């Protein structure tokens, strides 16, 4: 823990979801095992290649700064793979949204539930902002948020590091940037978005660039909450 604290005037904490509220490594390993054992169509290796390419294309689109990224993403994926766009959408929903849900609770970051409760006891609202759908993942994690936002929401339509989602959560909560804290696991996306919106940032991770506050998990923040 390095310089990590909830600011004294904080009224809203916005959490990234994937990689912040749960560890992605265990979930991805579980999904890889499941995919390699599944005999569905298309074949195992073809499915794996499609899903990897989907993730690569989506990561790259974060810096294109154009609207309708989801439609453009699947159109490009269909063109590259020669497969039907609607079938590709169904494949992605199945393997990247639906099937991982049962693995999330076991991968939840230590102290997440306790921190959510402690924040609310102090009158601090909890927001969750993700590049992917939020509602079902939060339910699978056993967590609830006061405000949620997804890059797929019509009012947002932009991937991180575009700060549109963070600004929408602040608008809904009625908070200013100096009353808000963003917590995420990626400096290049979560940290950059927070900086663009003028919001303080806390990195979840064991290491961080010099001068960046960070914590290895959420238990590290609980003593401050309990002593408030």
């Amino acid at each position: 823990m390095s310089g990590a604290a909830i600011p004294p005037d904080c009224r809203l904490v916005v959490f990234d979801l994937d990689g912040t509220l749960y560890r992605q490594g265990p979930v991805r390993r579980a999904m890889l095992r499941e995919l390699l054992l599944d005999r569905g169509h298309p074949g195992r290796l073809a499915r794996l290649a499609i899903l990897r390419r989907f993730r690569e294309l989506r990561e790259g689109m974060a810096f294109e700064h154009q609207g309708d990224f989801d439609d453009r993403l699947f159109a490009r994926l269909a063109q590259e793979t020669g497969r039907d766009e609607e079938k590709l959408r169904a494949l992605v929903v199945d393997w990247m949204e639906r099937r991982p849900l049962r693995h999330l609770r076991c991968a939840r970051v230590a102290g997440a539930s306790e921190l959510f409760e402690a924040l609310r006891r102090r009158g601090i609202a909890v927001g969750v902002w993700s590049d992917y759908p939020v509602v079902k993942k939060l339910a699978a994690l056993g967590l609830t948020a006061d405000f949620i936002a997804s890059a797929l929401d019509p009012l947002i339509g932009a991937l991180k590091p575009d700060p549109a989602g963070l600004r929408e959560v602040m608008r809904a909560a009625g908070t200013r940037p100096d009353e808000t804290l963003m917590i995420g696991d990626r400096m290049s996306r979560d940290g950059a978005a927070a900086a663009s919106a003028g919001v303080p940032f806390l990195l979840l991770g064991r290491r961080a660039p010099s001068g960046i506050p960070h914590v290895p998990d959420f238990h590290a923040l609980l003593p401050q909450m309990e002593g408030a």
Side-chain angles (χ1 to χ4, degrees), residues 11-12 125 146-147 167-176 180:
R11 295 176 51 217
L12 169 69
D146 303 300
F147 304 96
R167 287 179 174 143
E168 176 58 23
V169 175
M170 288 191 291
R171 184 203 64 76
T175 61
R176 302 188 307 266
T180 304

Side-chain angles (χ1 to χ4, degrees), residues 59-76:
E59 287 284 301
M61 282 187 169
F63 300 97
E64 292 185 3
H65 304 295
Q66 299 179 37
D68 300 323
F69 73 87
D70 199 53
D71 289 340
R72 290 186 294 108
L73 168 59
F74 279 101
R76 194 176 301 177

Side-chain angles (χ1 to χ4, degrees), residues 144-217:
T144 60
D146 303 300
F147 304 96
I148 63 171
S150 165
L152 295 164
D153 294 344
L155 289 175
I156 299 171
L159 296 161
K160 300 171 185 175
D162 189 303
L166 179 55
R167 287 179 174 143
E168 176 58 23
V169 175
M170 288 191 291
R171 184 203 64 76
T175 61
R176 302 188 307 266
D178 62 310
E179 298 172 320
T180 304
L181 174 68
M182 175 76 200
I183 300 179
D185 68 311
R186 301 176 72 185
M187 280 298 304
S188 62
R189 302 301 173 93
D190 306 311
S196 294
V199 170
F201 179 67
L202 175 61
L203 181 70
L204 182 77
R206 297 190 178 278
R207 296 181 180 85
S210 178
I212 301 298
H214 64 99
V215 290
D217 58 40

Side-chain angles (χ1 to χ4, degrees), residues 6-16 21 112 115-129 138 144-148 166 168-176 179-183 199 225:
I6 306 294
D9 296 329
C10 185
R11 295 176 51 217
L12 169 69
V13 177
V14 181
F15 295 83
D16 168 56
L21 295 180
L115 181 58
F116 275 36
E117 293 173 5
L119 288 169
R120 290 192 173 108
R121 285 197 298 269
R122 281 187 56 183
I124 299 173
V126 173
V128 175
W129 167 39
L138 270 186
T144 60
D146 303 300
F147 304 96
I148 63 171
L166 179 55
E168 176 58 23
V169 175
M170 288 191 291
R171 184 203 64 76
T175 61
R176 302 188 307 266
E179 298 172 320
T180 304
L181 174 68
M182 175 76 200
I183 300 179
V199 170
M225 295 289 99

